[in-house]
Amino acid sequence: MDLTTWMNNYTTQSDFTLVGFFSQSKHPALLAVVIFVVFLMALSGNALLILLILSDIHIPIHLHIPMYFFISQLSLMDMMYISVTVPKMLMDQVLGSHKISAAACGMQMFLYLTLAGSEYFLLAAMSYDHYVAICHPLQYPVLMNHRVCLLLMSVCWILGSLDGFMFTPVTMTFPFCGSREIHHFFCEVPAVTKLSCSDTWLYETLMYVCCVLMLLIPVTVISGSYTSILLTVLRMNSAEGRKKALATCSSHMTVVTLYYGAAIYTYIFPASLHTPEKDMVVSMFYTILTPLLNPLIYSFRNKNVTEAMKKLLGVSTLFQETVK
C-alpha cells in the first residue's frame, strides 16, 4: 500500500468502538467506581514511592543505591502505563461514548507497547542488579555505578520503544472493512488485528516470534541471575544475610511472576485458548492491578522504604513527642 492510498484511507476511517468490561457487567457504575479507586491508589502509591526515593537526600536512610533507582523507574512506568488505558475507559463510561479515533487508538497502542516492553527489560535489569549485589558485593560499586545504571535504563527505554515502533504502524495500516468494534477496553494489538479483513497470518507469526524473543531474553537473564543468587545464598553462613537476600529477591520474583505470566498468556499462548472475556481479564490484571501491587510489594516488604516513609510523614517524630 503506497503512502497516498494509506493517507486517504487513514483520514476517511470511521472511529473504532471499545467494547469493554462495562458493557458486560451487571453493575457498571459500581465497577467504574472500583476501577477509579484502584486507579487513584496505584497513582498515589507509585508517586509516594518515587517521592520517598527522591527525597531520601534529606532522610538518614540511603535509598539512592541502584536498586531503588530501578524501583523508582518501575513506579514511573506503572504510573504512565495505567494512565494510558484507565482514564479513557472511565471517561467513556461517564460520557456514554465508547468511540476512539484511529489516531488516538494508534497513540494508545504505541504508548502501552513502549511501556510494557520497557518494563520487561527493566525487570531483567533489576534481577541483574540483585545478582551483582549478592554474588559480587565487593565489586558492586564498580559494576553498578551511576553511569552503568543510566545505560541500563536507557537500553530498557530504547528496546521498549522499538516494540512500539515495530507493531503500531503495521497494525494500524491494515484495512478494516467490517466491524470496527474492538472487544477490549483499550487498543491492544491482538484485539485490533482481529478486525482486519486482510490476511494477517504472516504478521501474527512475526509478532509471535518477536514477542518470544522479547520475553525470552529478559527471562533468561532473570533465570540465570536468580539461579546464581540461590546458589550463593545457600552457601552463606549468616542466617540474617540469607533472610535479607531472600526477602529482597522474593519481592522482585513476585512482580516478575505477575507481569510475565500475564504477558505470556496474551502474546505466547495459542489463539485457541483466547476469548475476548479472558483477554480483558488478563489485561485488566497487568494494566491495572500490577501497577497497584508493585508499590505495595516494594514498600511493605522493605524495611528501608517503610522507615523512610515514617520519617517523611513524621510518624516517628510524632510518636516520640506523644511518649514525652
Side-chain angles (χ1 to χ4, degrees):
M1 182 183 293
D2 59 66
L3 181 60
T4 304
T5 305
W6 179 83
M7 287 298 294
N8 290 333
N9 290 341
Y10 183 83
T11 53
T12 57
Q13 284 177 347
S14 61
D15 295 340
F16 291 101
T17 301
L18 293 170
V19 182
F21 275 110
F22 297 124
S23 61
Q24 303 175 10
S25 175
K26 295 181 180 179
H27 306 285
L30 178 61
L31 180 59
V33 171
V34 171
I35 292 176
F36 180 64
V37 171
V38 171
F39 173 68
L40 292 180
M41 291 175 63
L43 282 185
S44 58
N46 284 289
L48 179 59
L49 196 54
I50 294 174
L51 178 62
L52 287 173
I53 294 170
L54 294 179
S55 64
D56 186 55
I57 190 171
H58 304 296
I59 302 174
I61 298 177
H62 300 293
L63 297 186
H64 289 294
I65 62 176
M67 179 179 73
Y68 295 106
F69 167 72
F70 290 130
I71 289 175
S72 69
Q73 291 295 305
L74 179 65
S75 291
L76 177 62
M77 288 181 182
D78 282 340
M79 290 177 66
M80 297 172 66
Y81 200 48
I82 197 171
S83 298
V84 168
T85 57
V86 173
K88 168 63 178 171
M89 178 172 58
L90 293 176
M91 286 299 296
D92 285 349
Q93 177 61 21
V94 172
L95 299 177
S97 172
H98 299 276
K99 299 290 185 180
I100 183 170
S101 67
C105 186
M107 181 58 67
Q108 189 180 61
M109 184 183 296
F110 172 78
L111 290 174
Y112 100 79
L113 283 172
T114 297
L115 291 166
S118 299
E119 195 156 331
Y120 294 154
F121 291 102
L122 175 59
L123 292 174
M126 293 174 72
S127 69
Y128 173 73
D129 173 66
H130 292 158
Y131 159 74
V132 176
I134 294 172
C135 301
H136 303 282
L138 298 180
Q139 297 174 289
Y140 185 76
V142 176
L143 295 177
M144 293 301 296
N145 58 51
H146 184 65
R147 179 177 296 179
V148 172
C149 291
L150 291 178
L151 178 62
L152 286 174
M153 199 63 248
S154 299
V155 170
C156 292
W157 281 107
I158 292 171
L159 292 176
S161 64
L162 288 177
D163 194 20
F165 280 118
M166 282 192 300
F167 294 132
T168 304
V170 179
T171 303
M172 296 307 296
T173 53
F174 280 128
F176 302 102
C177 311
S179 172
R180 302 181 72 83
E181 289 188 349
I182 302 173
H183 290 274
H184 217 297
F185 59 90
F186 71 102
C187 292
E188 192 168 39
V189 172
V192 176
T193 304
K194 289 178 182 177
L195 302 182
S196 175
C197 55
S198 63
D199 183 7
T200 60
W201 177 84
L202 179 60
Y203 172 63
E204 290 178 1
T205 302
L206 292 175
M207 182 172 64
Y208 179 84
V209 172
C210 289
C211 289
V212 168
L213 291 175
M214 285 199 69
L215 290 173
L216 182 62
I217 295 173
V219 167
T220 301
V221 173
I222 292 170
S223 301
S225 297
Y226 282 108
T227 299
S228 300
I229 288 172
L230 182 60
L231 294 175
T232 302
V233 167
L234 292 176
R235 292 196 296 265
M236 286 183 177
N237 296 323
S238 170
E240 182 65 26
R242 286 197 300 269
K243 182 179 178 181
K244 184 177 180 181
L246 290 174
T248 300
C249 294
S250 63
S251 297
H252 185 63
M253 283 305 299
T254 302
V255 175
V256 167
T257 302
L258 294 174
Y259 199 76
Y260 279 88
I264 289 172
Y265 168 82
T266 302
Y267 293 101
I268 305 299
F269 276 23
S272 58
L273 298 178
H274 288 256
T275 65
E277 292 74 19
K278 287 182 181 178
D279 290 348
M280 282 192 285
V281 170
V282 173
S283 296
M284 178 77 78
F285 193 85
Y286 74 81
T287 58
I288 299 177
L289 292 183
T290 302
L292 172 67
L293 294 175
N294 281 352
L296 299 178
I297 292 171
Y298 283 114
S299 59
F300 290 132
R301 300 190 63 182
N302 189 300
K303 184 179 178 181
N304 285 345
V305 174
T306 53
E307 288 297 322
M309 188 179 300
K310 290 178 182 178
K311 289 182 178 295
L312 182 67
L313 299 177
V315 174
S316 299
T317 304
L318 180 61
F319 177 76
Q320 292 174 0
E321 290 178 354
T322 303
V323 173
K324 291 180 181 179

